[in-house]
Amino acid sequence: MSDLITADLIDLDLRGADRHEATAVLAGLLAAAGRVTDVDGFLADVRAREEQMPTGIEGGIGIPHARSAHVTAPSLAFGRAAQGIDFGAEDGPADLVFLIAAPEGGGSEHMTILASLARKLIHADFKTALREAPDAEAVAALIKQNLPS
C-alpha cells in the first residue's frame, strides 16, 4: 500500500476564497499523484459529505473527507492556510486543513484515519508542530509518525 501522505500531497501556502476552493486545491494534489481519477466527481462527493455537517473542528482545523469511486488509494492531503478558511467550526476559520480521500469500497479505513487525526489534534503540541514545520517533508514525517500505518 502506498503511503497515506507524502510531501507532494502538502501545500504549505494553501489559498482559497472558501472551503470549496481550498478543498479543490488539495484534491488537485491528489489527482496529480494519481490518487484521484476525477477531481470534479471527488469534489462532488466531498461537498455532499460537507452538506451533512460542517467538517471544521475547534482549534483551527478543517477535515473535509469522503469515500468516493474516484479515489484509487486511501490518501491524506494537507494544507496550511495562513489567512484561515471557514470550515464551519464555531471558533472560527481553519489554518490546518486535512483532506481525507478513501476509495468507495474501502470499508471504515477513512473513519479510522479521521478518528486518529481527531485524537492527535486535541494536543496543542501536534498542532504547533504542524504550524511551525519548515517544509512539506517535515509535515509528512510528523503526520506519519503520529498516525497508525
Side-chain angles (χ1 to χ4, degrees):
M1 184 176 120
S2 61
D3 285 339
L4 183 66
I5 187 166
T6 56
D8 61 330
L9 302 178
I10 295 170
D11 183 342
L12 296 182
D13 189 26
L14 181 63
R15 296 177 186 274
D18 59 26
R19 65 180 152 215
H20 302 299
E21 282 186 20
T23 302
V25 170
L26 295 177
L29 297 177
L30 293 170
R35 295 170 183 238
V36 167
T37 57
D38 176 350
V39 172
D40 291 336
F42 173 63
L43 288 172
D45 293 335
V46 172
R47 275 191 298 276
R49 167 59 192 86
E50 200 61 44
E51 287 170 8
Q52 294 172 10
M53 178 187 297
T55 55
I57 60 174
E58 193 173 310
I61 311 298
I63 311 181
H65 56 280
R67 280 191 209 156
S68 175
H70 309 292
V71 175
T72 61
S75 301
L76 179 64
F78 171 79
R80 199 162 60 193
Q83 79 282 12
I85 297 165
D86 182 10
F87 274 86
E90 289 184 18
D91 69 337
D95 65 320
L96 302 176
V97 181
F98 299 85
L99 175 59
I100 301 172
E104 193 167 51
S108 63
E109 188 163 12
H110 95 284
M111 293 308 292
T112 302
I113 296 165
L114 181 61
S116 295
L117 256 182
R119 279 193 299 274
K120 287 307 298 181
L121 289 165
I122 291 169
H123 304 286
D125 57 340
F126 181 62
K127 291 184 285 192
T128 298
L130 289 169
R131 288 181 173 116
E132 295 178 354
D135 54 41
E137 290 77 13
V139 170
L142 181 66
I143 293 170
K144 284 178 192 178
Q145 80 184 45
N146 281 282
L147 290 183
S149 45

